[in-house]
Amino acid sequence: MTGAPAATVAQDPPGGRRAVAVWGIGVAVYFVAVIFRTSLGVAGLDAADRFHVNASALATFSLLQLLVYAGMQIPVGLMVDRLGTKKVLTLGAVLFTAGQLGFALSPSYGMALAARALLGCGDAMTFISVLRLGTRWFPARRGPLMAQLAGLVGMAGNLVSTLVLAPVLHGAGWTAAFAGSAAAGLVVLVPLVLFLRDHPQGHEPPAPPRGGGGFVRRQIRESWSEPGTRLGLWVHFTTQFPAMVFLLLWGMPFLVEDQGLPRSTAGGLLTLVVASNMALGLVYGQIVGRRQSSRIPLALGTVGLTALLWAAVLVHPGDRAPMWLLVTLCLVLGSCGPASMIGFDFARPANPPGRQGTASGITNMGGFLASMTTLLVVGILLDATGDNYRIAFSTVFVLEALGITQILRLRGRALARERDRERDRERERPVPAPVAASAESSPAGV
């Protein structure tokens, strides 16, 4: 009777204050990474002037950063599974800090591109590591909420870019703004090195199997073979990119150049997207944590509402959409980030602890592939059509249609496999031993 509870504890960390403190260090690193990642979103027009580039070349900054980020997801997942969270997060913090500082000091377009690539490489190591900390330090039932909270803190980093970095950029100038912000990377690196631990004492995961390339191939093959992993990727792909593209690069030019808004008003709308994201993240996390059946309806509902609002803005008669419609669009775009977290809630139960990093990397790749594609195509179409944003932003509908098709194709198999796995777990749970009978009631001779 004493063995079962111990096994349960070992598999299900208790959480608590120390867990919150350690997880908070990891989330702080992710927070700074998001500030650096989204800093170009408020500096797009300044970057075009500084480096004398057009829309396509400007899009290349974010495109290269996302290309590196997306390409690193599976390698980072494998690194997390093999090396642990602390080593990967530390390397990521060093790289994204160097990238932000390099971007501040770059005298040319080529050097600035290299700096953004370095930043994207470090940024790629943060979110999967934070997800891993959540699964190692908190009970499994808290998984959806911890993922949403991590996304919420990341959006707070986006808010800092909009509210703090933008005014500093326009007041102190390019070099001072970006070099000054790079100091935040050093600030989070200190507690990361000194205090972060991969897992609580007594909850050490099993050692990963050795085998070099065989380990890599096996991790990727077994993760991808799970319908839940693939469904998670397509949910992330379909839900995340409309807001990511808007915040990362094209939202400010669209609102200023196409809608004729002053920069201060456009910045306020970008802030509204972030605030909506933060508020809805808590709501989505609570709903999914309590009702797993809500995952598909929430994801598809978010995609449908996003498409409806984008269509309303783009086809609105006249040159400019009314302010109430732009505000509504920004509020709805805020739901894209929380909806994208649902993808991890399909990949997580589909894979054992030893594959969580790899499966999360595959899932996280989805939204960034969609964002990268949209960033590039929007820039190309703007140059080809003389800055016709209505045509350029129609790309959103094409990728959403592709994603919805894949979600509908995979959901049946993924959910059926998840139900089967849950039934297997129920059968494997130890049955409490019966209470021993008293001597008076026991048959003679027993």
Side-chain angles (χ1 to χ4, degrees):
M1 290 181 64
T2 58
T8 302
V9 171
Q11 294 174 0
D12 204 18
R17 293 181 180 179
R18 180 166 172 77
V20 172
V22 172
W23 180 80
I25 294 173
V27 169
V29 177
Y30 175 57
F31 172 77
V32 173
V34 173
I35 294 176
F36 293 176
R37 178 201 305 169
T38 58
S39 58
L40 186 60
V42 297
L45 298 177
D46 300 86
D49 293 337
R50 178 179 176 86
F51 299 111
H52 310 290
V53 294
N54 60 13
S56 297
L58 181 61
T60 304
F61 276 123
S62 296
L63 176 65
L64 178 62
Q65 183 179 335
L66 291 183
L67 178 63
V68 172
Y69 188 104
M72 286 288 294
Q73 289 308 292
I74 293 179
V76 167
L78 292 165
M79 289 170 63
V80 170
D81 287 337
R82 174 57 68 91
L83 301 177
T85 304
K86 182 173 183 175
K87 292 179 181 178
V88 178
L89 262 183
T90 301
L91 178 58
V94 170
L95 291 178
F96 68 60
T97 301
Q100 185 77 343
L101 183 60
F103 193 59
L105 303 177
S106 295
S108 66
Y109 176 68
M111 291 186 65
L113 278 178
R116 294 306 284 188
L118 188 63
L119 192 158
C121 186
D123 181 20
M125 299 181 179
T126 58
F127 187 66
I128 293 176
S129 298
V130 171
L131 289 179
R132 172 77 167 222
L133 281 178
T135 60
R136 291 299 188 199
W137 282 87
F138 294 94
R141 68 181 184 277
R142 302 276 294 277
L145 181 59
M146 301 314 295
Q148 290 288 355
L149 287 174
L152 185 152
V153 174
M155 289 308 296
N158 203 325
L159 196 62
V160 170
S161 292
T162 305
L163 296 180
V164 179
L165 186 60
V168 173
L169 176 66
H170 299 136
W174 180 279
T175 302
F178 282 97
S181 66
L186 299 177
V187 171
V188 297
L189 190 58
V190 174
L192 167 59
V193 172
L194 294 179
F195 302 115
L196 190 132
R197 299 292 181 267
D198 286 352
H199 46 74
Q201 188 175 3
H203 296 265
E204 292 80 3
R210 298 185 179 276
F215 168 79
V216 171
R217 290 191 296 272
R218 183 171 58 253
Q219 289 285 97
I220 296 174
R221 182 182 65 251
E222 293 178 356
S223 296
W224 184 253
S225 68
E226 291 291 344
T229 304
R230 300 198 302 275
L231 178 60
L233 179 146
W234 283 107
V235 168
H236 200 268
F237 177 101
T238 313
T239 53
Q240 188 203 47
F241 79 94
M244 176 69 72
V245 168
F246 196 80
L247 290 170
L248 198 59
L249 183 60
W250 292 123
M252 181 69 78
F254 168 71
L255 295 171
V256 173
E257 296 180 348
D258 187 71
Q259 297 298 307
L261 300 178
R263 284 195 181 206
S264 59
T265 305
L269 288 175
L270 294 181
T271 303
L272 185 61
V273 177
V274 177
S276 174
N277 184 300
M278 296 174 68
L280 291 174
L282 294 174
V283 176
Y284 276 50
Q286 291 288 350
I287 293 174
V288 173
R290 294 176 181 179
R291 292 182 61 86
Q292 291 285 288
S293 60
S294 67
R295 291 173 295 175
I296 290 292
L298 272 178
L300 292 180
T302 300
V303 175
L305 194 56
T306 303
L308 178 64
L309 265 297
W310 259 124
V313 169
L314 297 180
V315 304
H316 191 276
D319 295 334
R320 298 170 185 173
M323 179 57 70
W324 67 265
L325 186 54
L326 293 175
V327 168
T328 306
L329 171 65
C330 291
L331 288 172
V332 171
L333 286 176
S335 66
C336 293
S340 71
M341 295 297 102
I342 296 173
F344 298 102
D345 294 321
F346 287 111
R348 188 185 304 111
N351 292 272
R355 289 206 311 262
Q356 288 295 318
T358 306
S360 296
I362 293 172
T363 300
N364 205 30
M365 202 167 56
F368 289 92
L369 286 174
S371 298
M372 182 175 61
T373 302
T374 309
L375 282 168
L376 175 62
V377 174
V378 168
I380 292 173
L381 290 176
L382 286 174
D383 286 339
T385 60
D387 292 338
N388 189 322
Y389 281 88
R390 294 189 179 190
I391 295 177
F393 274 115
S394 296
T395 309
V396 171
F397 306 119
V398 178
L399 268 70
E400 285 186 329
L402 172 62
I404 289 173
T405 301
Q406 295 299 320
I407 291 172
L408 295 177
R409 183 178 68 86
L410 288 165
R411 64 174 179 172
R413 278 179 288 169
L415 295 177
R417 187 78 170 264
E418 192 174 292
R419 288 191 295 268
D420 291 343
R421 187 174 284 106
E422 182 58 32
R423 282 196 293 267
D424 291 341
R425 280 196 293 263
E426 289 291 337
R427 285 195 294 265
E428 291 171 1
R429 282 174 183 159
V431 179
V435 178
S438 63
E440 291 80 1
S441 61
S442 298
V446 175

